[in-house]
């Protein structure tokens, strides 16, 4: 198990380097000069002198390998560069906002598992029955509604009409824990709706498949009690694909909270990213993309390790 | 494609088709100008001229919704198509040339998957600025890798097909063969992928437009309409309704289409997996009837099993009777489809849910001396017997063991299901059992996972679990079929040895291997398409068969240096088309007109022998 963990970690580390390099190359190798692009907003040809000055300021006039070296060197020191607009260090702003986004995702994942897993198991054990049919239709619809539609409607109903909660915003946990959680509930539930549907569908089909396996019949032939068969033999085997799919979706959420954070005014990483994209603030965009992608890689690593924990066969692969 | 398939596709296809047609026809419809601003009519509720009302700039909402569909659909379809063509091409190239080309195509495309999708789209927007064109580029880059993967996998698979390899060995250019082989194979998964891509591109497109980073105003798009309506939500909430409904409805329809396509194109996914558990939790049959003439151990009386319900039900097992005495080994022999396995499963009440007992009894006399009819016993009572008094060993030991639990724990589980023991004590007994079934270094092997054992060792572990509680009856369903020949002999030896030790344990050995039968069994029951055709002591039945089918089976076993092998002519008739009269008559050399006229009954010949042949005296 330890050897497997080390091997996977080395691969993940390599991937982090690949991601960092890709982010660098995307900005530097595609046609068009970032400095020129940055200054040419509004359709006017930018002043060549201003472009040259910005190039020097950004270090774009240096040879590419030198730029790459200083970029990677900066990364190793936790330096993600400074905002073009206000010189604010990118790493500092990310450190402030990232925990909020992670909290949102964690809360949504928790809700999705708490609802999706038991309901999926129930639907599989009652496959073809009315409860299964109703839940499957519900899941199909929940999965299809875009998050920003759910979010907007949630704000309309619960904040505007019923006035149960305020329309969005953020209060630090240290200042008012209750209000913090109340403000977390709406965006987390919005993300959780679609995610729970994914967990539900995956759990259902996975459990149905495992129920048909020979070892379930063997367990029955041993006279093992039904509840123990479900808990001990079925769920653990059925969980393996569910964990994978859930983790993949959590990975997409790392960037996908953009819409929800926007709708609910949640001051996470995504709002920062949208502003940076609108302003074409390259250092900011590169820093955020890099951090999220690295998290994405680390999440996949965590899944691989969890997978090995659940399925002893993987450890030897 | 079957009619049922078309039926499943019809509804989602019609909805999606309708939306596409409406969007395509937008310029022809008598709609108001979607970008015409009329500030005085700001936020007007639905009226005669404007069926869905007017938005925050007084623009016609209906017109904007339909024109918005155009933008959303055009972006998503175009992006899906570009991604599909580019991705498939990359996958084909990578799979065909391998090596450096593979790295340049498939592997580099997969680098895209290192980034969360929305993030990558935002990166592209940063570089190119917002707009429909940017969206198409971003979405194409995003989705091409999935196509590349599918095409790559199929190309690799096709490359290894025997005839492609053969053609290559002959020096033929395999590029064309490959294209002809691969494209038809990848078409179905790519079609599913395409509809998935369209749906998910639509979600992303509307999301980006909603953020103001997608379609540029004043062009209408559903995402932009929701963005606009959101700002006036407290004054005109109904404006939010239409674009939300249109967007969600379209995506629901697209997802339904995906599901239907997947089901139709991938029949593997459609079969509702045989789920014995449902029968397991709900299989309560009518109460026990008083049993006549209790058997010493087990007697199956006139058992009928049917697959399915109603008039289409197939009579898989008909009028099967057999008996096992304590300490006796009964072999049940027959080809695949003879009903021998189903009969075994019926005794333990483990029939798959599609199979029902339609007649007969399975009388069993238990340890406490009472006789029950297993075919009518409730599930809780059956469960108390299973693994304790009645046990079963299945054909494939690697599938019978749960891959995620240690072997020793799986043996201990049988004990703890029936005995009130501590976990440590059960584990200690499990090790002793594994030692008894001849697993070397049992204490260490008990902690191993199934995949760490060899096939023979796994079957030993399965047997250990089956005999853990000293069962009175053990049913072994082809326990050696999945094993190597040398291992087969060892397992047979083990089972014979265990039986000798256990004394009173009865054994039903289900197999198609006659050599195994003569080695292990006292008596044999020969089955053919769901009926018993001959029964008796092994030596007598094989020495002088009294049914032409048994005779043919015996003749088909190669013996000594006589390597002439007579195959049985003809084929086993399917259950839905059984011959009238004697089921074996169409393949029988002795058949006469009377044989096909009426079904022969099982005739007792004395000395424990019986046959289902009218002309048994003439069987050589």
């Amino acid at each position: 198990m330890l050897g497997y963990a080390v091997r996977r970690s080395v691969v993940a580390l390599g991937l982090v380097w690949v991601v960092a390099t890709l982010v660098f190359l995307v900005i530097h190798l595609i046609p068009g000069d970032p400095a020129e692009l940055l200054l040419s907003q509004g359709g006017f040809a930018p002043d060549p002198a201003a472009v040259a000055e910005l190039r020097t300021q950004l270090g774009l006039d240096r040879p590419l390998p030198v730029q790459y070296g200083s970029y990677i060197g900066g990364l190793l020191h936790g330096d993600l560069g400074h905002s073009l607009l206000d010189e604010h260090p990118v790493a500092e702003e990310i450190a402030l906002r990232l925990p909020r986004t992670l909290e949102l995702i964690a809360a949504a994942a928790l809700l999705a598992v708490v609802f999706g897993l038991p309901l999926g198991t129930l639907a599989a054990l009652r496959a073809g029955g009315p409860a299964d049919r109703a839940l499957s239709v519900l899941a199909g619809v929940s999965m299809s509604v875009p998050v920003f539609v759910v979010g907007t409607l949630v704000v309309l109903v619960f904040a505007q009409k019923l006035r149960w909660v305020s329309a969005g915003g953020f209060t630090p946990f240290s200042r008012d824990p209750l209000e913090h959680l109340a403000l977390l509930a709406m965006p987390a539930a919005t993300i959780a709706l679609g995610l729970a549907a994914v967990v539900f569908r995956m759990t259902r089909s996975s459990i149905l498949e495992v129920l048909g396996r020979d070892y379930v019949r063997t367990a029955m032939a041993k006279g093992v009690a039904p509840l123990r068969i479900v808990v001990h033999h079925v769920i653990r085997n059925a969980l393996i694909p569910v964990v994978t799919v859930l983790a993949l979706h959590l990975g997409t959420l790392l960037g996908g909270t953009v819409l929800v954070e926007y709708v609910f005014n949640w001051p996470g990483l995504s709002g920062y990213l949208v502003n940076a994209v609108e302003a074409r603030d390259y250092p900011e965009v590169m820093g955020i993309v890099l951090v999220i992608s690295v998290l994405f890689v680390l999440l996949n690593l965590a899944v691989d390790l969890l997978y090995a924990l659940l399925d002893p066969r993987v450890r030897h692969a | 494609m079957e009619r049922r398939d078309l039926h499943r596709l019809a509804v989602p296809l019609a909805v999606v088709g309708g939306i596409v047609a409406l969007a395509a026809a937008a310029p022809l419809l008598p709609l108001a100008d979607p970008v015409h601003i009329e500030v005085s009519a700001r936020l007007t509720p639905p009226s005669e001229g404007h069926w869905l009302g007017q938005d925050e700039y007084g623009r016609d909402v209906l017109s904007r919704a339909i024109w918005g569909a155009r933008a959303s659909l055009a972006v998503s379809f175009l992006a899906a198509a570009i991604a599909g063509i580019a991705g498939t091409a990359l996958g084909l190239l990578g799979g065909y040339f391998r090596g450096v080309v593979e790295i340049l195509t498939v592997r580099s495309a997969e680098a895209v998957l290192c980034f969360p999708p929305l993030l990558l789209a935002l990166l592209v927007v940063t570089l190119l600025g917002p707009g429909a064109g940017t969206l198409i580029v971003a979405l194409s880059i995003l989705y091409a890798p999935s196509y590349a993967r599918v095409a790559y996998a199929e190309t690799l698979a096709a490359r290894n097909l025997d005839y492609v390899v053969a053609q290559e060995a002959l020096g033929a250019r395999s590029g064309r063969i490959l294209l002809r082989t691969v494209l038809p194979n990848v078409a179905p998964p790519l079609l599913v992928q395409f509809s998935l891509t369209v749906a998910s591109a639509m979600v992303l497109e509307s999301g980006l437009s909603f953020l103001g980073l997608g379609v540029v105003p004043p062009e209408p798009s559903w995402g932009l309409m929701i963005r606009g309506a959101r700002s006036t939500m407290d004054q005109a909430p109904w404006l939010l309704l239409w674009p939300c409904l249109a967007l969600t409805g379209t995506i629901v329809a697209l997802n339904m289409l995906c599901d239907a396509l997947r089901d139709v194109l991938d029949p593997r996914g459609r079969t509702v997996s045989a789920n014995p558990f449902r029968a397991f939790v709900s299989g309560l049959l009518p109460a026990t009837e008083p049993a006549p003439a209790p058997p010493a151990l087990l007697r199956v009386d006139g058992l009928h099993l049917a697959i399915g319900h109603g008039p289409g039900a197939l009579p898989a097992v008909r009028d099967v009777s057999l008996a096992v005495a304590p300490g006796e080994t009964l072999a049940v022999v027959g080809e695949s489809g003879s009903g021998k396995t189903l009969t075994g499963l019926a005794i333990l009440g483990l029939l798959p849910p599609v199979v029902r007992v339609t007649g007969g009894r399975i009388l069993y006399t238990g340890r406490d001396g009472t006789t029950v009819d297993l075919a009518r016993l409730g599930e809780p009572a059956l469960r108390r017997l299973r693994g304790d008094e009645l046990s079963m060993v299945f054909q494939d030991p690697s599938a019978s063991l749960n891959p995620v639990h240690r072997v020793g724990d799986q043996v201990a589980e049988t004990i703890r299901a029936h005995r009130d023991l501590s976990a440590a004590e059960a584990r200690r007994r499990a090790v002793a059992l594994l030692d008894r079934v001849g697993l070397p270094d049992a204490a260490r092997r008990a902690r191993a996972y199934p995949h760490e054992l060899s096939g023979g060792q796994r079957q030993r572990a399965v047997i250990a679990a089956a005999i853990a509680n000293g069962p009175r009856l053990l049913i072994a369903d082809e326990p050696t079929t999945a094993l190597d020949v040398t291992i087969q002999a060892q397992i047979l030896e083990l089972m014979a040895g265990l039986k000798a030790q256990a004394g009173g344990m009865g054994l039903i050995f289900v197999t198609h291997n006659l050599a195994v039968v003569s080695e292990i069994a006292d008596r044999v029951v020969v089955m053919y398409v769901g009926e018993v055709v001959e029964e008796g002591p092994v030596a007598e039945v094989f020495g002088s068969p009294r049914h032409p089918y048994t005779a043919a089976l015996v003749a088909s076993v190669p013996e000594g240096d006589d390597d002439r092998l007579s195959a049985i002519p003809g084929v086993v008739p399917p259950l839905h088309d059984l011959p009238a009269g004697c089921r074996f008559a169409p393949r029988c050399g002795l058949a006469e007109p009377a044989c096909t006229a009426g079904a022969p009954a099982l005739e007792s010949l004395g000395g424990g022998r019986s046959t289902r042949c009218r002309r048994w005296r003439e069987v050589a």
Side-chain angles (χ1 to χ4, degrees), chain B residues 325-343:
Chain B
E328 187 184 41
T329 299
L330 174 74
V332 179
V333 191
E335 293 164 281
S336 314
S338 62
K340 56 189 196 301
T341 295
L342 282 183
T343 306

Side-chain angles (χ1 to χ4, degrees), chain A residues 108-296:
Chain A
L110 188 70
L111 283 175
V113 169
V114 163
F115 285 94
L117 213 58
L119 289 177
T121 310
L122 178 82
L125 295 180
R126 298 264 182 281
D132 175 37
R133 277 160 206 261
L135 283 170
S136 293
V137 170
L138 192 66
V141 175
S142 314
M143 252 172 70
S144 301
V145 195
V147 278
F148 65 94
V149 171
V150 180
T152 309
L153 294 179
V154 163
V155 170
L156 175 68
V157 173
F158 294 102
Q160 301 262 341
K161 296 287 162 199
L162 299 173
R163 304 211 167 271
W164 287 357
V165 278
S166 55
F170 178 84
T171 305
F173 188 80
S174 51
R175 192 182 306 154
D176 186 346
L178 273 183
E179 195 179 322
H180 174 85
L181 290 178
L183 285 170
L184 175 68
M186 276 199 309
T190 300
I191 299 174
L193 183 74
L195 202 58
V198 171
V199 173
F200 166 85
R201 279 175 66 134
M202 207 54 222
T203 307
R204 180 185 177 278
S205 70
S206 182
I207 285 196
L208 271 181
E209 203 207 314
V210 174
L211 281 175
R213 296 271 175 82
D214 280 2
Y215 53 77
V216 172
R217 191 177 61 181
T218 306
M220 287 196 274
K222 289 180 187 172
V224 178
L227 187 67
R228 187 182 153 86
I229 291 186
V230 171
V231 172
H232 201 71
H233 288 279
V234 177
I235 291 189
R236 176 142 168 218
N237 279 290
L239 267 186
I240 296 168
V242 176
V243 166
T244 319
V245 169
L246 178 65
L248 281 177
H249 276 262
L250 287 184
T252 13
L253 273 184
L254 280 172
T257 47
V258 172
L259 289 159
V260 174
E261 291 188 6
Y262 179 87
V263 170
F264 291 100
N265 244 327
W266 186 263
L269 202 55
S270 310
Y272 185 42
L273 177 62
V274 172
N275 288 336
V277 170
E278 275 174 344
R280 296 204 175 179
D281 194 328
Y282 283 94
E284 286 189 341
V285 175
M286 276 170 72
I288 300 165
V289 168
L290 183 67
V291 166
I292 292 182
S293 304
V294 167
L295 282 176
F296 195 57

